[in-house]
Amino acid sequence: MSNNVGLALAAEKLMGIEITPRCTVLRVIACEMSRIISHLVWLGTTAIDIGAFTPFLWTFQERETIYNLQEAWTGARLTTSLTRVGGLMADIPDGFEAGLRAFCQHFPKTLDEVDRVLTQNGIWVARTQGIGALTAEEAINWSLSGPMLRASGVPYDVRKDRPYLDYESYDFDIPVGEHGDVYDRYLVRFEELRQSTRILEQALARLPAGPINVDDHRVILPPKHQAMSDMEAMIHHFKQVMEGVRAPVGEAYLPIEGPKGELAYYFVSDGTAKPVRWRIRPPAFINLAALPYMAEGHLLSDLIAINASVDIVMGEVDR
């Protein structure tokens, strides 16, 4: 859901749209749920790659809980489409808040179990410490971002350094590594799971009432009952569906802190419904470029751990 949010934020910046307070908090919840899902997939599959099977079962069980909540909200599990320019597709359903609160209460216990099994495990430490290390300077030169960059000791997080969605008002820490190796990338992502849980708890506590969409039918479709009974609403509906949302002439670039790193969108508009230029900065695609350099001097078996530590998505890399 982070991809949807980043795309909408860039378009809203270009169009000068201010989203509602409830939408702002719900988008934070959507982003942090996505971060937890992504890191759980990474943690479970990386454990299997290096030879530990049980943490995979624990992490995917927790992932299933988040997927159930996500499906109840969006109607989909993997290919979600929640965010709209100016708001959201739907508000959270009944029981969602209670379900997410219950998750936030029991999830840290699962993390404690994974921590007990992996963090000081001799095999895990031997397979990850000192492997694929990058210094802070090297990580910056390779344009790395997200956990890959922070594991090398660079405390850069878009949520803190270029805040959006009022992230500056949330209390959370940015975990930073020391050695920039596979082990530090594990520690950084592991701690980010705890920090995302903290953010979710704060978001639930401050979630306000009110609308989720702006009252602007240039970008938000009017309710169906209005479109069928009011001529002006029908015109707005027709123009949006047939022509699309028109952005003013200009350009906008907006990055967000995706689970895998800095995800950014760049738009150039000529005033029509289709951008003249639209480019995406994909974090995994850029992070993967450092793989040959990180693998130098290591064994072939180490390449498995190094590649897993990058946390790539092939759909993003092979576009």
Side-chain angles (χ1 to χ4, degrees), residues 86-157:
L88 299 170
M89 175 196 73
D91 207 336
I92 53 176
D94 293 340
F96 181 91
E97 291 182 61
L100 188 55
R101 283 195 177 93
F103 172 82
C104 292
Q105 288 177 353
H106 72 75
F107 182 50
K109 298 178 183 177
T110 301
L111 293 179
D112 291 340
E113 284 290 294
V114 177
D115 184 27
R116 181 179 62 83
V117 170
L118 287 184
T119 305
Q120 300 299 326
N121 183 289
I123 297 175
W124 182 263
V125 170
R127 290 294 308 276
T128 57
Q129 283 191 352
I131 305 299
L134 290 172
T135 66
E137 183 179 3
E138 290 170 337
I140 293 172
N141 287 340
W142 281 99
S143 298
L144 304 186
S145 61
M148 289 287 293
L149 178 64
R150 292 189 286 275
S152 293
V154 182
Y156 176 75
D157 189 305

Side-chain angles (χ1 to χ4, degrees), residues 43-57 59 114 117-118 121 123-124 127:
L43 181 55
T45 55
T46 298
I48 286 183
D49 287 343
I50 298 180
F53 183 69
T54 303
F56 167 81
L57 299 177
T59 56
V114 177
V117 170
L118 287 184
N121 183 289
I123 297 175
W124 182 263
R127 290 294 308 276

Side-chain angles (χ1 to χ4, degrees), residues 119-120 124-125 128-129 131 181-188:
T119 305
Q120 300 299 326
W124 182 263
V125 170
T128 57
Q129 283 191 352
I131 305 299
D181 54 10
V182 174
Y183 188 72
D184 271 8
R185 291 169 203 143
Y186 155 73
L187 292 178
V188 166

Side-chain angles (χ1 to χ4, degrees), residues 154-273:
V154 182
Y156 176 75
D157 189 305
V158 181
R159 294 171 296 174
K160 291 281 191 180
D161 293 275
R162 301 181 68 176
Y164 56 96
L165 294 177
D166 295 334
Y167 265 111
E168 67 274 17
S169 64
Y170 289 84
D171 181 23
F172 65 101
D173 300 320
I174 303 300
V176 178
E178 297 179 9
H179 309 290
D181 54 10
V182 174
Y183 188 72
D184 271 8
R185 291 169 203 143
Y186 155 73
L187 292 178
V188 166
R189 290 192 180 96
F190 194 87
E191 180 57 28
E192 285 187 2
L193 287 168
R194 298 189 188 276
Q195 297 303 319
S196 288
T197 305
R198 286 180 62 190
I199 295 173
L200 286 175
E201 290 173 335
Q202 295 171 60
L204 287 170
R206 69 169 65 180
L207 181 61
I212 58 170
N213 294 322
V214 296
D215 186 19
D216 186 348
H217 294 319
R218 295 176 306 157
V219 294
I220 295 292
L221 286 172
K224 190 171 183 179
H225 71 275
Q226 287 187 14
M228 300 300 291
S229 60
D230 180 77
M231 179 57 69
E232 186 176 356
M234 180 179 288
I235 292 172
H236 283 303
H237 186 284
F238 180 83
K239 289 178 69 67
Q240 272 203 56
V241 172
M242 299 304 294
E243 299 178 2
V245 177
R246 291 177 177 271
V249 176
E251 62 180 349
Y253 176 85
L254 195 136
I256 69 168
E257 186 64 39
K260 303 174 190 308
E262 183 172 328
L263 171 65
Y265 292 89
Y266 174 66
F267 286 114
V268 178
S269 171
D270 62 354
T272 65

